[in-house]
Amino acid sequence: MAEKVKTTRRVLAEFSYDPAETERGYTGETLYVNVGDGTIESRPVTDTMKEQFIGGRGFGLYRLWYGVEDDTKWDDPENEIVISSGPCGGTTQYPGSGKSIVVSISPLTEIPVDSNVGGHFGPLLKFAGWDALEVQGKAEEDVIVIIDGPVGKVRIEEAPDVPVDSHLVGHWLIDELAETDEDRYYTSVVAAGTGAENSRFGCLNFSFYDRHREAPRFKQAGRGGIGTVFRDKRIKALVVRSEPVRGDSNAPADRKRISEIGSKLHREIYKYDDDQNQMRKGGTSYLVSIMNDYDLLPVHNFRYGKHPEAHKIDGDVWQAHFTQGIPDGCWYGCTMACSHAVDKYELRTGPYKGDQVIVDGPEYETIAGVGSCCGIFEPWAILEINFYCDTYGLDTISFGTGMAFVMECYEAGILDKEKTDGLELTFGNAEAAIEVLHQVARNEGFGKIFAQGSHRMKDIFVEEFGADRAFLEDIAMEAKGMEYSEYVTKESLAQQGGYGLTNKGPQHDEAWLIFMDQISNLLPTFEDKAEALHYFPMFRTWFGLCGFCKLPWNDVVPPDNAETDEPQKIPAHVSNYVALFAGVTGQDVTEDDLIEQSETAYNFQRVFNIRLGKGLREHDAIPYRSAGPVTVEEYESRVERYDKQLREILGLNPEGMTTEEKVGALREHREEQYEKLIDAVYARRGWTENGVPKPEKLERLGIDFPDVIAVVEKYL
Ligand code: SF4
């Protein structure tokens, strides 16, 4: 391994340290870097942090809480970006154990956002001595931060010469910093891009070096605009280097136990993935045809749930595009290996037109968001948008859902060519959508408006273009300021809550209940739905505390899973996680303990939202498009289903009603149902009717700190 990461740049601040050894998943230290005033220091991980907040998202929320003020905005210097992998992150024996979780105040929602991402940065950060990295301040000039574990140095360097777009940063890392193969393997970079500079939905790219392609690859911390915060702080790259990763780098308490559980899951994946979801061949792209079959695929801004051309962008198509036979894991030991790529894709547009590039993905959310939701069924266009969103540092979900909203506004006459600088932004116009993407990166034209995200576009369209506010509130698929991810929820009340009752905004990583609710009818009562909206968000939150990827939990299942009492929980895999946590940390836990660990972080985040002004019942509202048909044509597209509901549930006779009357009657009913759902969920979660965690709940969870209680007391 090279003596140190090379540098030829002016060093603005430097800090020497003796890297702490990892012990049972923790190093016991977090790194604080202020890129504004040059402070770099080590901060101890306290018992409260380990016992109450576990790691990952928990550490991020804890550090952020004490880093900001009640009135801190996303672009204030004291806003932080905190990255942490959690105690199990860096395990190489169990698939999906290398995630990082990033936490910051979001430019979209203006409350904390957490984003779960693959790539090597988080685990290598730990092996360089740090359980978390906390970045604060705002630099005057562009900088990079280098954390060089093997030589025990952290530096802030000025970086006028470092590129901004992420695929260039990846190559820069290798050309400039890495001298040997090991430097490449055990160095990782976090970057954003020129799009992140100019928009509110910038993402972060986390690199991993692909030994088979001999090239840098990226995974995205997509949601909530953390890439925007990153560039606002004038950071071009965070770089970490560690000693070579070994099977015991995470120093688990019981490596044998972990290896045994890991071997079992490896065998399951090898044996059953081909018959189940074919993640190893096509990643999550298999979901396109399933969602289309069940009327759940977002089409034309979530108006519809299926499209006759969906087969043009389904899993088979992507399997043919993805290079097969390469172990595409985004962390060591992940035999699920779903991080596929399209190699040698020749770009057709933009500043890199003609270049042959690796496109990381697309995954389901990208295909559905920038594809079907926008009426785009051309694989080349999805690849083009996927690549440019990534390298510009833009979230593909916010881009796709936001673009679909714009396209509906265009078709409704709210926008026209004059307002879009000549772009005909109708559904299916891939060239126009791609041009807006480039405009965001160039900070010009209609792209400047689009870059504000759906929530703020509504204001612009009302104030500057005279649009009807009520209509926009119904059709803009955003809640709390963040765009929806890609599932149609009209027929699943539980999933309407799964999106609306999230802490960070509508993202499916908290709860995905559509099949349980809508297809299998396993949640017939409000209490059933509320229980599911307690258990699943808590269980899924736990992945983000510990550094796990959720996919190996339920994208392959044991063959006898259907015969278990609660097949939707995948009981055998839940047992694996209980044993893994114990095997890494040495703490014996039960399944209930995992849920309680999550409840602590989850309730703390809810109080954090309230502290920053957005965590009450009114903020859990959802756009009506996610609950039912807004327009006459939407109603007519499913007329049999809706008429039947009017007859059987509401006792109305649709025969004598106009479609507008039917839309109104259904709406009244569905909005009432959503309010009843909120009541049931708040009660189950131990919150007041206004959505405030009760002091006794906070006390039971051990987070009744005076400053936490002071926040909730204002609303009791
Ligand atoms: S399942 Fe896929 S996304 Fe998850 S860790 Fe493995 S390769 Fe990465």
Side-chain angles (χ1 to χ4, degrees):
M1 176 159 273
E3 192 180 297
K4 63 177 182 175
V5 175
K6 288 188 293 184
T7 184
T8 52
R9 290 169 197 83
R10 196 159 75 88
V11 175
L12 302 174
E14 186 170 84
F15 171 77
S16 299
Y17 72 105
D18 195 8
E21 291 286 323
T22 309
E23 198 180 326
R24 298 187 172 200
Y26 293 98
T27 66
E29 302 283 335
T30 69
L31 175 64
Y32 173 83
V33 177
N34 190 313
V35 294
D37 65 18
T39 303
I40 307 175
E41 61 189 30
S42 167
R43 294 181 170 180
V45 172
T46 62
D47 289 346
T48 300
M49 285 174 73
K50 276 170 81 168
E51 286 159 19
Q52 248 68 43
F53 294 89
I54 310 301
R57 174 172 162 186
F59 277 15
L61 290 166
Y62 184 85
R63 286 289 189 230
L64 186 66
W65 175 282
Y66 291 106
V68 301
E69 305 293 332
D70 295 357
D71 59 354
T72 298
K73 302 290 177 230
W74 71 271
D75 54 352
D76 286 336
E78 64 262 32
N79 188 17
E80 298 193 335
I81 297 171
V82 191
I83 302 172
S84 173
S85 180
C88 302
T91 299
T92 57
Q93 289 83 6
Y94 194 84
S97 307
K99 288 282 186 156
S100 307
I101 291 77
V102 197
V103 173
S104 187
I105 296 177
S106 159
L108 287 171
T109 64
E110 297 174 317
I111 51 177
V113 65
D114 55 277
S115 199
N116 182 316
V117 56
H120 289 185
F121 191 89
L124 297 189
L125 177 72
K126 188 195 286 186
F127 302 148
W130 307 106
D131 283 333
L133 168 65
E134 183 184 3
V135 183
Q136 199 174 37
K138 204 185 276 202
E140 282 175 16
E141 304 292 336
D142 283 331
V143 297
I144 57 173
V145 177
I146 297 179
I147 303 157
D148 194 343
V151 296
K153 295 254 189 246
V154 180
R155 290 192 304 274
I156 303 172
E157 299 180 1
E158 65 176 13
D161 57 326
V162 176
V164 177
D165 286 343
S166 291
H167 77 295
L168 299 180
V169 177
H171 290 288
W172 157 81
L173 167 72
I174 289 165
D175 295 343
E176 293 287 313
L177 297 184
E179 290 180 342
T180 67
D181 281 349
E182 289 204 329
D183 283 338
R184 294 171 194 208
Y185 301 159
Y186 306 117
T187 305
S188 176
V189 66
V190 177
T194 46
E197 287 174 6
N198 306 322
S199 76
R200 284 180 183 261
F201 52 91
C203 75
L204 290 176
N205 288 281
F206 278 53
S207 82
F208 61 105
Y209 188 75
D210 186 326
R211 298 180 187 212
H212 299 274
R213 293 178 173 87
E214 297 188 337
R217 304 268 315 275
F218 291 96
K219 297 291 282 186
Q220 289 72 37
R223 306 302 342 252
I226 308 178
T228 304
V229 180
F230 189 86
R231 286 302 294 138
D232 184 64
K233 293 186 176 302
R234 306 211 57 175
I235 303 168
K236 279 187 169 171
L238 305 172
V239 184
V240 69
R241 186 176 74 130
S242 83
E243 295 287 1
V245 176
R246 304 178 312 266
D248 61 353
S249 289
N250 202 37
D254 188 346
R255 186 174 163 193
K256 187 162 167 279
R257 189 175 182 189
I258 291 171
S259 297
E260 282 168 6
I261 309 162
S263 300
K264 205 169 84 187
L265 188 64
H266 290 312
R267 281 197 297 277
E268 250 175 52
I269 291 171
Y270 284 131
K271 217 162 158 187
Y272 306 118
D273 176 61
D274 235 14
D275 290 337
Q276 293 182 12
N277 295 328
Q278 302 194 338
M279 295 284 285
R280 287 165 57 78
K281 289 179 179 159
T284 52
S285 65
Y286 78 91
L287 287 165
V288 173
S289 50
I290 297 176
M291 295 306 137
N292 192 56
D293 289 350
Y294 284 100
D295 206 14
L296 299 168
L297 182 72
V299 171
H300 293 184
N301 195 29
F302 295 81
R303 279 191 286 190
Y304 315 115
K306 55 172 63 184
H307 195 280
E309 290 184 81
H311 65 93
K312 293 182 180 170
I313 56 168
D314 71 10
D316 290 342
V317 172
W318 297 110
Q319 283 197 21
H321 276 83
F322 294 146
T323 305
Q324 298 293 334
I326 293 181
D328 276 327
C330 74
W331 174 245
Y332 299 107
C334 190
T335 37
M336 185 73 105
C338 76
S339 298
H340 299 294
V342 176
D343 288 295
K344 295 189 180 150
Y345 172 73
E346 187 169 320
L347 292 163
R348 300 187 187 188
T349 68
Y352 308 114
K353 182 178 174 181
D355 288 1
Q356 287 198 342
V357 295
I358 299 171
V359 185
D360 294 302
E363 298 174 13
Y364 167 76
E365 300 294 334
T366 301
I367 301 164
V370 309
S372 60
C373 202
C374 296
I376 293 172
F377 294 93
E378 298 159 89
W380 78 265
I382 293 171
L383 285 170
E384 194 88 1
I385 297 172
N386 189 154
F387 175 81
Y388 272 113
C389 273
D390 288 354
T391 201
Y392 287 158
L394 296 170
D395 174 25
T396 55
I397 296 176
S398 280
F399 180 86
T401 300
M403 180 56 67
F405 166 61
V406 162
M407 287 174 160
E408 184 165 353
C409 287
Y410 194 97
E411 297 209 344
I414 294 163
L415 298 175
D416 55 34
K417 275 188 177 179
E418 244 177 62
K419 300 179 181 102
T420 61
D421 301 302
L423 294 174
E424 199 174 350
L425 283 162
T426 49
F427 285 115
N429 191 341
E431 284 81 2
I434 292 168
E435 179 51 25
V436 174
L437 176 53
H438 295 311
Q439 286 182 353
V440 173
R442 297 194 301 264
N443 197 26
E444 64 179 41
F446 183 72
K448 283 172 88 164
I449 294 175
F450 183 77
Q452 297 307 310
S454 304
H455 183 76
R456 289 164 183 83
M457 275 196 283
K458 286 189 287 191
D459 291 341
I460 297 169
F461 294 175
V462 170
E463 285 158 22
E464 297 184 19
F465 304 150
D468 172 10
R469 163 77 67 185
F471 180 63
L472 296 192
E473 294 295 348
D474 281 350
I475 67 162
M477 288 296 285
E478 63 90 7
K480 297 187 176 76
M482 190 162 89
E483 285 78 9
Y484 271 63
S485 67
E486 309 302 335
Y487 301 95
V488 171
T489 56
K490 290 189 180 96
E491 304 310 312
S492 170
L493 179 60
Q495 187 56 30
Q496 290 162 31
Y499 275 135
L501 303 175
T502 50
N503 271 326
K504 68 170 167 248
Q507 168 70 354
H508 57 283
D509 68 347
E510 215 178 84
W512 199 89
L513 305 172
I514 298 182
F515 270 29
M516 274 176 78
D517 188 36
Q518 178 182 333
I519 312 295
S520 309
N521 198 24
L522 293 170
L523 309 172
T525 67
F526 285 108
E527 286 67 33
D528 293 330
K529 293 182 206 303
E531 184 56 37
L533 281 167
H534 166 70
Y535 178 85
F536 287 99
M538 296 315 136
F539 186 63
R540 284 168 174 252
T541 291
W542 188 79
F543 290 102
L545 302 181
C546 293
F548 286 121
C549 172
K550 164 253 151 202
L551 298 176
W553 163 53
N554 68 350
D555 274 80
V556 68
V557 299
D560 59 355
N561 187 57
E563 279 95 64
T564 59
D565 285 348
E566 295 182 291
Q568 59 283 356
K569 291 185 180 174
I570 331 288
H573 289 181
V574 173
S575 302
N576 285 355
Y577 289 111
V578 170
L580 276 169
F581 187 81
V584 171
T585 64
Q587 299 168 43
D588 274 328
V589 286
T590 63
E591 185 188 339
D592 288 345
D593 292 332
L594 306 192
I595 299 300
E596 187 158 317
Q597 289 174 351
S598 291
E599 267 192 289
T600 305
Y602 196 88
N603 280 274
F604 186 77
Q605 188 166 352
R606 180 74 178 188
V607 178
F608 207 159
N609 285 357
I610 296 169
R611 179 185 170 201
L612 297 189
K614 204 187 250 184
L616 304 175
R617 187 177 185 119
E618 63 184 292
H619 305 114
D620 288 338
I622 53 175
Y624 185 63
R625 171 65 53 80
S626 66
V630 173
T631 62
V632 166
E633 61 176 339
E634 253 174 294
Y635 189 100
E636 296 292 354
S637 75
R638 296 189 181 99
V639 66
E640 276 183 36
R641 177 191 298 165
Y642 296 142
D643 277 1
K644 189 165 177 255
Q645 289 177 9
L646 291 186
R647 238 182 258 112
E648 294 179 1
I649 301 172
L650 299 180
L652 296 171
N653 178 8
E655 306 289 301
M657 298 169 77
T658 65
T659 306
E660 284 86 352
E661 286 168 342
K662 292 195 278 186
V663 168
L666 196 64
R667 179 172 188 149
E668 197 179 320
H669 170 66
R670 291 193 173 194
E671 289 183 335
E672 193 184 279
Q673 295 286 297
Y674 185 68
E675 293 303 319
K676 285 183 180 164
L677 178 75
I678 293 181
D679 288 338
V681 172
Y682 285 178
R684 176 63 186 86
R685 290 182 180 177
W687 297 355
T688 68
E689 283 178 11
N690 198 17
V692 180
K694 294 178 183 168
E696 54 267 34
K697 172 94 183 184
L698 301 173
E699 188 184 347
R700 184 177 71 71
L701 296 171
I703 48 170
D704 53 334
F705 314 139
D707 45 353
V708 172
I709 294 293
V711 171
V712 299
E713 270 178 345
K714 287 185 212 154
Y715 298 93
L716 296 176

